[in-house]
Amino acid sequence: MWQWKSLRTKLFYTYAAIIMVILFSFAVGISYLIRGHMYENKNKELQKHALEIANSIVALSANNDINSMRVQEYLADIDVLLNVRLLVIDSKQELVYLSPHSIDYGEKNIINQEREIYRQYKARTNEERRKFAAERLGEKDSTFKKIIAPVYEGQIISREFLHPVYNEEVLFLCAPIMLGEEIIGVLVISSAVGGIQGFLQEVHVYIAQIMLLALLLSFILVHWFSKESIAPLVKMQQSAAAMAAGDYSLHIEVKGRDEVANLGRSLNRLGEDLEKFVDSMNTQEKIRRDFVANVSHELRTPLTIIRGYNDAIADGTVQDPQKIAFYQAIITDEVSRLERLIKDLLEISRLQSGREIVNENIPLMELVSQVLAKLQLQAQGKKIELVADLEEAVIIGNGDRLVQMLIILVDNAIKYTPAGGKVEVLLKKLEEYVSLTVADTGRGIPPEDLDYIWERFYKVDKSHSRKEEGTGLGLAIAREIMNLHRANVSIDSQLGKGTCIKIDFPYDVNKYKK
C-alpha cells in the first residue's frame, strides 16, 4: 500500500483535498442558488403575465367563448409584445391558440423578425388559425394534454419541460382561465430557458476561474502552513534524537499556546529533567564511590591497627607490660569504633524497614531540655554558649528516636563550632506544626554540599581525617528519624557564619501515614 513519506506531505495533500472539496461544494452550491433564484424570478414573472392574460381573455370572450376573433387578435398581439410562448386550450380541450414563432432571446430585433409571421397568422380565419395551431402541435398534444389535465381541476402547474412543439427546454406555467367558479380554458405561458442556461454557463466559467485562482493561492498557503506546522515537530524530533544520544542541551524555540507549542515546552522540560536526573545519578554514583571509599577506610583502618598491635603482642615483639597495656587500649578503642560503625549501619537499616513504632505523646519541651542538659558539659568544655528558647508542645512520636536525633544535631553543632561560639535551640508551637531549630555559629557548609549532607558517609571534608570522631552516619540517621515522623527539614548555611537546621513536626504523624 502506498504511503506518504513525510508528515508534511500528508498534511499538504490532506489540506489540499479539503480545500478542493470545500471549493467544489461552494461552486456547486452557488450555481444551484443562482439557478434557483433565476428560475424563481422567472416563474413569478410568468405567474404575473398568466394572471393578466387570463383576465384579459375572460374580458374579451363573448358568451364564455374564448375562440372569438378578439381573443385571437389579443393573444397574437401580446405574444409578440411579451416575447413569450402562449398556448390556449378551451374547456373542451381543443386548441385555441399556439404561438407561431420560436423565440430567441439572443436576438435584439426579435419583434421585427417575427412581424411578418404575425401578419400572416392574423390574416387567417379562426378555423384556419386553429388548424394551423393543431398542425404545429401535431401528435404530441395527447401527451401534453395529460400533463395539463390537473389544471382543469383548478390547479396551477409550474415546471421545466421539453416543449412538444419547439423541442427545447422551457419553463412553463399552466393556469386555469376562470369565469367566476367555472373553468372555461387553460392558459399555458412558457419561456425558453436558453437565456438562463447561457447565463449560468457564463457563471460557471467565472466560478471555475475563481476556483482555479483560489486553488492556486490555497496551495501556496497550504505549502507554507504545512512547512510552518511541521518545523516545530522537526525540531522536536532532532531534540528527541539528541536526548537519545545523551545530549540534553538542545532546546526548542517555542512560540504560541497551541498543542504543538505545549508539546515543545513539555519536551524542553523533559530534557531539563533528564539533564538534572543524569546529573543527580552522576552525583549519586560519586557518592556511592565515596561511600565505598569511606566504608573501606572506616573498616580497614581500625582492622589494620588492631591486627598490627595484636601481632606485636602475640609474637612477643613487645615485652614491656606498659606498652602491652597501651597497645591493648588502642585495640579496645578501635574495636569500639567498629562497633559504633556497625551499630549505626544497623540503625539506618532498622529505621528504613518501617518497623519503628510512633504512637507516644511526646512533650517536646521536656525532651529537648533533657538533651541539652546532657550536652551542657560538652559545650562548656569547648567554651561554647548553649542557648535554649522553648515553648511547650506535645506531638505524637517515638521518644527514643527523637532524643537520638536531637543528640546528633546538637552534638554536630557543638563539634563544628569554634570556641567562643554559640549553639541555639528554638522550639515554637505553631498552628499546624511544631518548629524545632538548631542553629550554630560554626564554620558553615559549602552550597554545593547542602543537598548531600544527609547521605551516608558523605563528608564535607573529603579527606579521611580522623581528627573528628564519628562514623559519618549521624546525619543520615537523623534524616531517617525525621522521615519516620513525616517532618519537613530545611537547612541554611553560610561559610564562616554558621548553619541553621529547621525541622517542622506535625502534631499527629499518623495522619500522614499511608
Side-chain angles (χ1 to χ4, degrees):
M1 182 179 179
W2 181 79
Q3 294 181 347
W4 284 304
K5 293 183 178 180
S6 67
L7 180 58
R8 179 181 174 185
T9 304
K10 182 178 180 180
L11 285 177
F12 177 81
Y13 284 111
T14 301
Y15 290 148
I18 292 174
I19 290 174
M20 290 179 66
V21 170
I22 292 175
L23 287 176
F24 178 78
S25 302
F26 177 78
V28 172
I30 288 294
S31 177
Y32 274 99
L33 182 64
I34 294 175
R35 185 179 186 277
H37 180 71
M38 295 187 67
Y39 272 76
E40 182 180 0
N41 287 341
K42 193 65 178 178
N43 188 57
K44 289 180 180 179
E45 181 185 349
L46 293 179
Q47 288 183 15
K48 178 182 177 182
H49 291 329
L51 179 62
E52 293 173 352
I53 294 172
N55 291 335
S56 298
I57 290 175
V58 172
L60 294 173
S61 63
N63 300 323
N64 299 342
D65 183 11
I66 61 175
N67 287 310
S68 66
M69 178 62 70
R70 294 176 62 191
V71 172
Q72 292 283 339
E73 292 176 352
Y74 166 74
L75 291 174
D77 290 337
I78 203 69
D79 195 342
V80 177
L81 181 63
L82 294 181
N83 206 22
V84 295
R85 299 187 180 92
L86 298 176
L87 175 64
V88 180
I89 303 174
D90 61 15
S91 58
K92 298 178 182 179
Q93 296 192 2
E94 293 182 358
L95 188 63
V96 175
Y97 180 83
L98 177 67
S99 293
H101 60 285
S102 177
I103 299 172
D104 182 3
Y105 283 98
E107 297 290 341
K108 296 181 180 179
N109 58 348
I110 182 65
I111 295 179
N112 294 331
Q113 292 177 356
E114 299 294 343
R115 194 175 298 278
E116 181 62 27
I117 298 176
Y118 167 67
R119 281 198 295 268
Q120 294 176 7
Y121 182 79
K122 189 175 181 181
R124 298 175 182 176
T125 64
N126 288 347
E127 186 64 29
E128 289 174 341
R129 291 174 182 175
R130 283 193 293 272
K131 183 177 180 182
F132 172 78
E135 289 175 354
R136 292 286 297 270
L137 190 60
E139 299 177 353
K140 301 175 183 178
D141 68 329
S142 59
T143 302
F144 186 69
K145 288 179 180 180
K146 290 179 182 179
I147 295 175
I148 66 173
V151 183
Y152 286 96
E153 299 176 1
Q155 298 182 24
I156 296 178
I157 297 175
S158 177
R159 61 183 292 185
E160 187 178 349
F161 183 68
L162 180 65
H163 200 285
V165 176
Y166 306 113
N167 285 323
E168 62 179 343
E169 290 290 332
V170 296
L171 179 65
F172 75 90
L173 184 133
C174 303
I177 303 174
M178 306 288 294
L179 181 62
E181 298 294 331
E182 182 182 359
I183 298 175
I184 61 175
V186 172
L187 170 64
V188 179
I189 181 170
S190 60
S191 176
V193 296
I196 297 177
Q197 296 292 355
F199 176 77
L200 288 177
Q201 288 179 359
E202 294 179 1
V203 170
H204 292 160
V205 171
Y206 177 75
I207 290 176
Q209 292 173 347
I210 295 297
M211 282 185 62
L212 289 175
L213 179 60
L215 280 175
L216 178 61
L217 293 176
S218 298
F219 286 159
I220 295 173
L221 291 175
V222 166
H223 181 270
W224 173 83
F225 179 74
S226 61
K227 180 180 179 181
E228 291 298 314
S229 299
I230 296 302
L233 297 178
V234 172
K235 294 180 180 177
M236 293 178 198
Q237 186 272 334
Q238 294 172 348
S239 177
M243 289 182 195
D247 180 9
Y248 308 103
S249 61
L250 183 59
H251 280 209
I252 304 165
E253 183 179 354
V254 179
K255 297 179 181 179
R257 294 288 178 183
D258 56 13
E259 291 81 357
V260 175
N262 291 334
L263 178 60
R265 293 187 184 92
S266 298
L267 200 59
N268 284 339
R269 287 195 296 270
L270 176 61
E272 293 170 0
D273 292 342
L274 284 174
E275 187 173 13
K276 292 178 181 178
F277 175 77
V278 171
D279 290 342
S280 175
M281 291 299 295
N282 291 334
T283 302
Q284 293 295 327
E285 177 62 20
K286 183 176 181 300
I287 292 174
R288 185 191 66 81
R289 291 194 300 267
D290 290 343
F291 169 76
V292 172
N294 286 327
V295 169
S296 299
H297 174 77
E298 294 294 336
L299 292 177
R300 183 175 62 249
T301 301
L303 288 175
T304 301
I305 294 173
I306 291 171
R307 182 175 181 178
Y309 284 106
N310 185 66
D311 289 345
I313 295 173
D315 62 15
T317 302
V318 179
Q319 299 291 332
D320 186 355
Q322 291 184 349
K323 284 189 176 182
I324 292 175
F326 176 70
Y327 288 175
Q328 287 176 340
I330 293 176
I331 291 173
T332 300
D333 289 341
E334 296 303 321
V335 169
S336 298
R337 181 183 294 276
L338 286 175
E339 288 178 345
R340 289 196 302 271
L341 177 61
I342 294 171
K343 178 183 176 182
D344 287 347
L345 288 172
L346 292 175
E347 286 288 328
I348 292 179
S349 177
R350 183 178 177 184
L351 287 167
Q352 291 178 337
S353 68
R355 293 194 298 268
E356 292 291 319
I357 299 175
V358 184
N359 60 1
E360 304 175 58
N361 289 325
I362 307 298
L364 276 181
M365 179 179 178
E366 180 180 344
L367 186 143
V368 174
S369 298
Q370 292 174 1
V371 171
L372 295 180
K374 293 178 181 180
L375 298 174
Q376 186 66 45
L377 290 177
Q378 180 182 346
Q380 291 176 355
K382 289 191 65 175
K383 297 181 180 181
I384 294 173
E385 182 183 2
L386 190 57
V387 180
D389 182 6
L390 310 178
E391 295 181 1
E392 291 188 0
V394 177
I395 66 170
I396 294 177
N398 185 310
D400 292 338
R401 290 303 181 186
L402 289 173
V403 169
Q404 184 181 11
M405 180 200 73
L406 281 167
I407 290 175
I408 291 171
L409 295 179
V410 178
D411 179 71
N412 267 3
I414 295 172
K415 184 185 301 182
Y416 295 105
T417 299
K422 181 172 70 172
V423 174
E424 188 175 8
V425 180
L426 306 176
L427 184 63
K428 298 293 183 182
K429 182 180 179 181
L430 302 177
E431 183 177 351
E432 297 183 357
Y433 55 87
V434 178
S435 178
L436 174 67
T437 303
V438 178
D440 63 60
T441 58
R443 63 192 184 192
I445 303 171
E448 63 272 15
D449 292 317
L450 283 177
D451 292 335
Y452 308 108
I453 63 170
W454 308 106
E455 300 292 338
R456 287 173 289 181
F457 292 108
Y458 187 86
K459 290 185 178 182
V460 176
D461 182 6
K462 301 303 187 295
S463 65
H464 299 290
S465 173
R466 298 172 62 85
K467 181 179 179 181
E468 302 288 353
E469 293 185 357
T471 61
L473 297 173
L475 288 179
I477 294 173
R479 184 55 187 267
E480 291 297 333
I481 295 173
M482 296 174 198
N483 293 338
L484 179 66
H485 290 82
R486 301 294 190 270
N488 293 322
V489 61
S490 61
I491 183 168
D492 181 30
S493 184
Q494 296 183 28
L495 289 175
K497 293 185 178 182
T499 301
C500 177
I501 298 177
K502 183 175 178 293
I503 311 162
D504 296 330
F505 292 97
Y507 284 97
D508 187 356
V509 64
N510 295 306
K511 291 183 179 179
Y512 298 88
K513 288 186 176 181
K514 295 182 180 180

